[in-house]
Amino acid sequence: MVVGTAPPATGGIRSVVTLSPNPPGPSPIPTEPAIMDQYAIAFIPRLLVARQGQPVEFRNSEEVSHNVRVVEVATDSLIFSRNPVMGEPYVHTFDRPGAYAVVCDIHPGMTGNLVVVAEPYAEVASEDGAFSFEEVPPGRYRARVWSIDVALQSERLVEIAGDTTRLQLGAR
């Protein structure tokens, strides 16, 4: 087990912690889609993590018109803009890791975040930055922290032991 702390949530958006074996090795991509829903004039969850190559399903679970516009944060490039209707989700597979802004143009305050990771282990930290991973084999890993605040992002090599390993990651 790996437990630790990362930077706390910034503006209500939690940090994402990833672990990647060093050196990298093969790891299966989940075939089940990660799901971001539109309900009660909100994206649920507000922050979704998906693996590169994993399908992401965007749903509208209410009888209110919405759209989903996804923009890659680093390049400010539009990835897609769709209007999913209730019962007809839109599925997209992201081929590049990175952070993506998700917005509904119909409802200006309706925003979400998607973080697509290449790493086989990823967890969303709690509001105070606490995180845990179960069933991580012992070895050397590259630990990365994503935060909406770029100044809080970090990366370093860590050694995972056979028992509980404690990590403190990111700027505090």
Side-chain angles (χ1 to χ4, degrees), residues 61-108:
S61 290
E62 61 185 342
E63 293 181 10
V64 174
S65 292
H66 291 294
N67 84 315
V68 177
R69 181 169 47 90
V70 175
V71 174
E72 186 176 21
V73 173
T75 63
D76 199 30
S77 300
L78 177 67
I79 303 303
F80 67 83
S81 182
R82 295 284 191 271
N83 294 33
V85 295
M86 189 170 184
E88 295 179 24
Y90 175 71
V91 178
H92 183 84
T93 301
F94 292 82
D95 59 2
R96 283 199 320 257
Y100 297 84
V102 183
V103 299
C104 174
D105 295 314
I106 298 169
H107 302 99

Side-chain angles (χ1 to χ4, degrees), residues 44-60:
I44 312 263
R46 188 170 176 205
L47 170 63
L48 178 68
V49 176
R51 285 279 304 279
Q52 177 183 359
Q54 177 183 15
V56 180
E57 186 174 295
F58 295 89
R59 296 179 179 172
N60 179 359

Side-chain angles (χ1 to χ4, degrees), residues 2-168:
V2 179
V3 297
T5 56
T10 300
I13 308 298
R14 299 172 182 201
S15 296
V16 175
V17 178
T18 63
L19 295 173
S20 180
N22 189 24
S27 115
I29 305 295
T31 56
E32 289 294 314
I35 298 171
M36 181 171 272
D37 202 351
Q38 295 171 299
Y39 186 76
I41 315 294
F43 285 105
I44 312 263
R46 188 170 176 205
L47 170 63
L48 178 68
V49 176
R51 285 279 304 279
Q52 177 183 359
Q54 177 183 15
V56 180
E57 186 174 295
F58 295 89
R59 296 179 179 172
N60 179 359
S61 290
E62 61 185 342
E63 293 181 10
V64 174
S65 292
H66 291 294
N67 84 315
V68 177
R69 181 169 47 90
V70 175
V71 174
E72 186 176 21
V73 173
T75 63
D76 199 30
S77 300
L78 177 67
I79 303 303
F80 67 83
S81 182
R82 295 284 191 271
N83 294 33
V85 295
M86 189 170 184
E88 295 179 24
Y90 175 71
V91 178
H92 183 84
T93 301
F94 292 82
D95 59 2
R96 283 199 320 257
Y100 297 84
V102 183
V103 299
C104 174
D105 295 314
I106 298 169
H107 302 99
M110 195 171 155
T111 63
N113 296 278
L114 170 65
V115 177
V116 176
V117 299
E119 296 85 356
Y121 302 99
E123 290 292 332
V124 176
S126 65
E127 287 284 327
D128 66 358
F131 66 87
S132 66
F133 291 90
E134 294 186 26
E135 300 181 26
V136 176
R140 185 168 225 174
Y141 290 81
R142 181 165 305 280
R144 289 186 176 99
V145 175
W146 174 88
S147 171
I148 199 162
D149 180 347
V150 177
L152 298 177
Q153 295 181 14
S154 67
E155 178 178 323
R156 71 179 176 130
L157 290 175
V158 297
E159 193 71 34
I160 305 300
D163 295 330
T164 300
T165 300
R166 298 190 186 286
L167 301 174
Q168 184 169 357

